[in-house]
Amino acid sequence: MGHDSIVLLGVNHKKTPLEIREKMALTGGYAEPLEKLRELDGLKEYYLLSTCNRVEVLFICQDPEQMRREVLDLLFAGKVSREEVAGCFYVYENEEAIRHLFMVSSSLDSMIVGESQILGQLKEAFRHAAEQKTAGLIINKLLHKSFSVAKRVRTETRIGANAVSISYAAVELGRKIFGDLRGKRVMLIGAGEMAELAAEHLVGQGIQEVVVANRTLERAMKLAARFKGRAVGLDEVVEQLLDVDILISSTGAQGIVLFKKDIVPLMSRRRNRPLFFIDIAVPRDLDPEINSLENIYLYDIDDLNNVVEMNREQRDKEAVKAQRIVEEETLKFQHWLDGMEVTPTIVDLRAVAESICQTELAKTLPRLNGIGAQERKCIERMASSIVGKMLHHPMQYLKTDHGCVDQSERIMQVRTLFQLNEQSEQCQKDDG
């Protein structure tokens, strides 16, 4: 006897070029491919995951080699040739498959270690499998466990604590300068993509107002409307800085757009309140000499890159702790699976013992004249207690690891000793 195999096969950004991944992506959603997989009789449970960085199939079966071929042919034949994907696929079985899934859910296998998006994508993929009833006992348990592993990694490490994008690094610096960003005002000069992203993150932190200054007023108005802010002309920038706390500049100008001499008279009117400048533009928009002024904090794109690089190194250190957590949880899940393997034998053992007990009670109790209901119950409890104590050691033998006898052999020994296979066959004949 043995439990079914857990198989995980897929492609990801580490092993497979984008031009192959985009052909294999399940762009039409999960419903159709999940339904197609139902045609494969050898699959007992399965689920699919498709993101921009990976396509993975997780399934339970008895014949991994055969089902691996059938699943690949069913899902991807016609999309990619065997020659194209040669060497691109990874295949994991049992403990390796469990470990890989936990690595994915914890974002340790992501392009950006520590990102949180993958967990939501996993939950969404599992929701489809659950709705179409393609996930059974093992995949249900495995996916829910992967969610809790991801939560444990987030709780016990700082893997997601430090920003690894330019836009979010700007937000982190703002928090260090002001402590709390709620109620602060931010101004965007220009409308570059990174400036927009930084503004999005800042608004998420409770920024009170977004002011947009752009060479084209129409563009400024559109962007301001997105953040429920207001648009101003470029010639109003200095005056607007009286009330602004954070300025993000990303114009396409060929030279400096804001000089130190523009800011000096402004600071006294601001009563020296701090100003945080982020210059994402290349060439730079802001005069580097501005940083020499008191209570002015100026960061350019290289400064932000340095922050991101330091944060990446910090995440790599945290990843070591996260991998240890994944290893622990993989072993725990494997133990749960091992427990499932002995369950049928334990059930059979109890059933046989209970049958013998009831048979003997049926023979003996009618011969005991004059006993009442109370005495009868006492005898039945005593017989049940003897059975329980007699089965205690065989059951512990099945459940507990032994260095010199593996689990399959222990199961076979117990089934032989108690003639469980013969007893089960007899029961099936009797039921038939």
Side-chain angles (χ1 to χ4, degrees), residues 342-358 384 387-388 391-392 394-396 398-399 414-415 418 420:
V342 302
T343 298
T345 298
I346 289 175
V347 170
D348 286 349
L349 190 56
R350 283 182 172 149
V352 167
E354 182 62 22
S355 174
I356 293 170
C357 180
Q358 292 302 322
S384 179
V387 168
L391 292 183
H392 176 74
M395 286 185 181
Q396 287 303 307
L398 283 169
K399 293 176 180 176
V414 170
R415 296 194 73 84
F418 290 89
L420 297 183

Side-chain angles (χ1 to χ4, degrees), residues 156-173:
E156 297 184 20
T157 74
R158 291 178 54 76
I159 199 163
N162 299 301
V164 289
S165 71
I166 295 291
S167 54
Y168 205 76
V171 176
E172 270 198 351
L173 286 170

Side-chain angles (χ1 to χ4, degrees), residues 2-7 44-45 60-64 94 138 337:
H3 59 70
D4 297 326
S5 292
I6 301 173
V7 182
K44 296 189 174 181
E45 307 176 32
I60 311 297
C61 68
Q62 284 279 353
D63 187 346
N94 301 320
I138 294 176
L337 282 174

Side-chain angles (χ1 to χ4, degrees), residues 104-377:
V104 170
S105 70
S106 305
S107 79
L108 293 171
D109 198 56
S110 294
M111 186 176 285
I112 298 175
V113 171
E115 57 91 9
S116 57
Q117 191 180 15
I118 185 64
L119 184 57
Q121 292 168 327
L122 268 172
K123 288 181 176 178
E124 178 68 9
F126 174 63
R127 184 177 66 78
H128 284 276
E131 283 179 357
Q132 292 197 223
K133 302 187 188 309
T134 66
L137 174 65
I138 294 176
I139 283 188
N140 260 300
K141 181 87 174 176
L142 185 52
L143 265 295
H144 279 109
K145 189 65 181 174
S146 75
F147 305 153
S148 68
V149 171
K151 185 179 179 182
R152 189 183 163 198
V153 165
R154 291 266 162 191
T155 305
E156 297 184 20
T157 74
R158 291 178 54 76
I159 199 163
N162 299 301
V164 289
S165 71
I166 295 291
S167 54
Y168 205 76
V171 176
E172 270 198 351
L173 286 170
R175 274 206 297 255
K176 285 180 182 172
I177 293 167
F178 296 108
D180 189 349
L181 293 175
R182 282 176 296 184
K184 303 298 178 191
R185 288 183 167 86
V186 61
M187 181 159 69
L188 307 181
I189 306 179
E193 185 181 352
M194 274 197 287
E196 279 190 56
L197 284 172
E200 270 184 8
H201 290 312
L202 287 165
V203 168
Q205 298 295 317
I207 286 289
Q208 181 180 336
E209 184 184 32
V210 176
V211 181
V212 181
N214 195 53
R215 184 171 53 84
T216 309
L217 187 60
E218 185 182 359
R219 172 69 177 137
M221 290 172 67
K222 281 184 180 174
L223 190 56
R226 182 177 163 193
F227 298 114
K228 297 180 181 174
R230 58 191 171 87
V232 298
L234 280 178
D235 53 354
E236 298 176 82
V237 165
V238 174
E239 195 62 21
Q240 290 295 323
L241 285 174
L242 277 175
D243 298 320
V244 163
D245 303 288
I246 300 168
L247 181 146
I248 304 171
S249 191
S250 65
T251 76
Q254 292 303 305
I256 300 294
V257 299
L258 199 60
F259 290 90
K260 179 182 177 182
K261 63 183 173 59
D262 300 320
I263 308 298
V264 170
L266 187 73
M267 290 308 286
S268 58
R269 294 173 64 194
R270 284 178 57 89
R271 298 186 179 179
N272 242 19
R273 282 184 293 115
L275 252 175
F276 176 29
F277 288 105
I278 304 166
D279 188 353
I280 303 176
V282 179
R284 286 178 288 184
D285 286 341
L286 308 182
D287 180 0
E289 286 300 311
I290 290 175
N291 208 27
S292 64
L293 296 172
E294 189 178 357
N295 279 343
I296 298 270
Y297 303 90
L298 169 61
Y299 288 83
D300 62 27
I301 190 76
D302 279 358
D303 296 326
L304 293 173
N305 271 326
N306 289 337
V307 170
V308 166
E309 194 53 42
M310 283 191 292
N311 288 347
R312 279 207 179 102
E313 289 174 8
Q314 189 59 39
R315 284 197 179 194
D316 288 343
K317 290 178 185 173
E318 294 299 310
V320 175
K321 299 178 195 171
Q323 283 169 356
R324 188 253 305 155
I325 291 170
V326 164
E327 199 58 36
E328 285 177 12
E329 297 295 341
T330 301
L331 290 173
K332 286 181 189 174
F333 195 85
Q334 188 59 52
H335 285 157
W336 177 79
L337 282 174
D338 291 344
M340 279 193 66
E341 191 174 356
V342 302
T343 298
T345 298
I346 289 175
V347 170
D348 286 349
L349 190 56
R350 283 182 172 149
V352 167
E354 182 62 22
S355 174
I356 293 170
C357 180
Q358 292 302 322
T359 301
E360 294 306 314
L361 283 171
K363 288 180 186 172
T364 304
L365 289 176
R367 299 175 189 165
L368 300 176
N369 295 325
I371 64 168
Q374 188 66 30
E375 289 83 0
R376 185 183 180 89
K377 282 185 179 176

Side-chain angles (χ1 to χ4, degrees), residues 35-99:
E35 193 57 36
K36 281 175 73 175
L37 286 172
R38 216 183 284 280
E39 297 170 14
L40 302 181
D41 293 335
L43 292 189
K44 296 189 174 181
E45 307 176 32
Y46 53 91
Y47 114 115
L48 295 165
L49 172 69
S50 179
T51 73
C52 57
N53 285 327
R54 69 183 67 245
V55 178
E56 293 185 345
V57 190
L58 177 69
F59 54 89
I60 311 297
C61 68
Q62 284 279 353
D63 187 346
E65 185 63 28
Q66 174 70 21
M67 295 320 300
R68 181 177 67 81
R69 285 195 298 271
E70 291 189 21
V71 167
L72 290 178
D73 286 345
L74 188 72
L75 289 180
F76 305 118
K79 292 184 175 181
V80 288
S81 66
R82 291 181 189 276
E83 292 73 25
E84 278 182 298
V85 296
C88 290
F89 273 100
Y90 45 81
V91 181
Y92 299 114
E93 290 184 23
N94 301 320
E95 190 170 312
E96 283 190 333
I98 297 165
R99 183 179 295 106

